[in-house]
Amino acid sequence: MIEDALLRELPAIGTIGAILFVGAAYFLLTLDRQRANSVSKDDTQAGLKVVLFGIVLAGVVMAAGGAQSLLAYVFAGFKGGSGPIKVAIPPIVIGALAVIIVVKAVLPRTNAATQRQPERFLLGALAIMFAVLGMISLNGFLTGLFTDVPWAANAGNVAGTVVAAAVLFFSLSRFGAVSGWTAPVAPPPMQHPPQGGGYPPQGGGGYPPQGGGYPPQGGGGYPPQGGGGYPPQGGGGYPPQGGGGYPPQGGYGR
């Protein structure tokens, strides 16, 4: 299958990819330096860093090929004795050593921490390369799953998907951090009107108030509902209802 062939040829793919990466990066840097506001125009170490990052690219691809072989052996149920392990360890060791030596010992002697355009080229190359390899492996896995391919024969596709996803996640995260991406800002919460106020307020006070106003509902006003007013309802007034008045009852003219 094509996925198995890619697995066997990952070291060669890494070598060819590194050479193509260096050539393409040189070409892009040459174009970029033609601009008046080029960020790499004054970077005298750009070519050196491109070569170093090309070595890193080859090391990552080689180590990923060994890791994929090892994971395929594990996912297949450790079938085949110790042979697959012996085959998988050398590319992992060589690729990891190449990356560690360049990143830890050589790159710190350059201006890679401040002039980062070659690093962006590397991260972009890793992202697109392993995105494609991951899709190919995932396609092989799903095809084998739908066509009832034995699990031992399909384990390599699972391993390829896992390894490609890991490298893709790392390279994209690093690429975004170097390029200055930011997390999306959540929209502010919606403002709702208060539940116990407004126009008119819902519980007490307003126009008119519920327990007083014009006229009030329970006492006072014009006329009052129970006592006092014009005339009063039970005693006193004009004329009084039971005694005293004009003329008085039993007084003048008696």
Side-chain angles (χ1 to χ4, degrees):
M1 297 176 67
I2 185 173
E3 295 82 10
D4 296 331
L6 285 174
L7 175 61
R8 292 191 300 268
E9 297 299 329
L10 269 182
I13 292 175
T15 302
I16 298 173
I19 296 173
L20 293 176
F21 166 77
V22 172
Y26 266 114
F27 176 72
L28 293 175
L29 284 174
T30 302
L31 289 181
D32 182 67
R33 288 179 174 180
Q34 305 303 316
R35 300 185 299 123
N37 57 346
S38 171
V39 296
S40 61
K41 190 173 184 179
D42 299 327
D43 186 6
T44 58
Q45 299 178 356
L48 172 62
K49 289 180 293 183
V50 166
V51 172
L52 293 177
F53 283 123
I55 297 173
V56 171
L57 174 64
V60 170
V61 175
M62 184 174 291
Q68 185 172 343
S69 298
L70 185 60
L71 282 179
Y73 169 71
V74 173
F75 291 156
F78 301 94
K79 295 180 180 179
S82 61
I85 299 178
K86 296 176 181 179
V87 172
I89 289 179
I92 294 177
V93 173
I94 295 172
L97 280 177
V99 173
I100 292 172
I101 291 173
V102 171
V103 172
K104 297 297 184 180
V106 184
L107 277 177
R109 302 178 62 182
T110 68
N111 59 358
T114 55
Q115 299 288 341
R116 313 189 77 169
Q117 188 60 44
E119 182 181 359
R120 294 187 182 95
F121 289 160
L122 167 70
L123 295 172
L126 284 175
I128 188 62
M129 181 182 298
F130 280 92
V132 173
L133 291 175
M135 288 188 290
I136 292 174
S137 296
L138 183 60
N139 175 73
F141 167 69
L142 292 178
T143 302
L145 189 66
F146 295 153
T147 57
D148 296 327
V149 173
W151 175 253
N154 209 13
N157 293 319
V158 181
T161 304
V162 172
V163 172
V167 178
L168 176 62
F169 176 78
F170 172 79
S171 57
L172 278 183
S173 301
R174 180 69 177 173
F175 199 1
V178 171
S179 300
W181 69 2
T182 57
V185 179
M190 296 181 61
Q191 300 293 330
H192 298 285
Q195 297 298 322
Y199 187 80
Q202 299 297 322
Y207 188 80
Q210 298 299 322
Y214 186 80
Q217 300 297 323
Y222 187 80
Q225 300 296 325
Y230 189 79
Q233 300 295 325
Y238 187 80
Q241 298 297 325
Y246 187 80
Q249 303 295 326
Y252 183 73
R254 178 175 49 180

